[in-house]
Amino acid sequence: MNILVDSCCDLSPELRERTKASVAPLTITIDGTDYVDDGSVEIAPYLEAMRMSKSPARSACPSPDLYAGKMLAGEGDCFVVTLSSKLSGSHNAASIGREQALEQDAGKRIHIFDSESASAGETYLALMLRELIDAGQSFEQIVSVVEEKIRSLHTLFVLDSLDNLVKNGRVSKAIGLLANVLSIRLVMSDDGSGAIKQLSKARGIRGALSQMVDTCRRHTEGLAAGSQRLVLSYCNCLERAQQVCQMIREKCPAIGEIVMTPTSALSSMYAYDGGIVISY
């Protein structure tokens, strides 16, 4: 069985090896320059290009043909993880690609998971899939277990700047201006069905990160100590990510393994410089 993810799934080289996942890259365009999110994008200059641009960065999802080719490339059945269908056309492109693949190989089983998340949330699911495959679970069992996890998966994020979300029309200019003037940072999350909602706000990045960790503590309260995995993605801010890990270990006893990974180019487009995303 094979795992295919779109490139909003944050996979360090170590995690690519661990998950053995194939990646369908999205493409980000900034002022006419295309950045193919295949692991080769240098994030620091890429962030600077976004910062200097007066126009919003644009992203294009993988084509159905690309998806179909990658679905057929591996031997055996295939599991696909895409970012939320509420946020991108990647899931739709994968669905069309599946039909194309099945026309060429009708005996191949392909299941597409709408992560209803992004970034660290997709990484969480890729890790889960690899463990279930290695444990010898059947195709049907894996589909059932992962779909159930998607329904309970939490994804939270704090951005150090809303500038890029304002440029891309995800946040109003008024909110972005107010946030900058008052040093307000927002704690955001999925809404339970793949869209984004605001959870809370705080003065300064440290206050927002503390609120995010407190939310994680409430969500995992009462669960067995060390029983839960958490994935943390960070955009160009390793030291901050390490500090958040320490906060989680101090405040969230149910969290055992913490997997840290830098954001991909696509995730960095929205997390922007200094952003932190956690999924559990």
Side-chain angles (χ1 to χ4, degrees), residues 6-8 24-27 58-63 67 81-95 114-118 122 170 193-196 266 269-270:
D6 67 29
S7 64
C8 192
L26 285 88
T27 300
R58 301 295 186 191
S59 63
C61 62
S63 69
Y67 265 123
V81 180
T82 73
L83 69 116
S84 172
S85 59
K86 298 284 184 66
L87 303 176
S88 167
S90 182
H91 183 268
N92 185 58
S95 298
D114 178 348
S115 70
E116 298 185 6
S117 182
E122 287 187 68
R170 302 278 184 174
S193 61
I196 296 172
L266 193 280
M269 175 180 164
Y270 292 108

Side-chain angles (χ1 to χ4, degrees), residues 4 63-72 78-80 82 90-113 139 143:
L4 172 61
S63 69
D65 286 346
L66 188 150
Y67 265 123
K70 286 185 173 289
M71 291 170 184
L72 292 168
C78 183
F79 296 108
V80 186
T82 73
S90 182
H91 183 268
N92 185 58
S95 298
I96 298 172
R98 176 181 181 274
E99 297 307 312
Q100 293 177 359
L102 292 177
E103 287 176 2
Q104 298 182 53
D105 185 354
K108 193 179 188 78
R109 290 182 296 182
I110 303 169
H111 185 84
I112 303 170
F113 294 100
F139 186 88
V143 169

Side-chain angles (χ1 to χ4, degrees), residues 65 160 245:
D65 286 346
D160 201 14
C245 278

Side-chain angles (χ1 to χ4, degrees), residues 3 29 64 92 147 167 180 195 228 244 273:
I3 301 171
T29 302
N92 185 58
E147 289 288 3
K167 279 185 185 178
N180 285 335
Q228 304 298 306
V244 174
D273 206 356

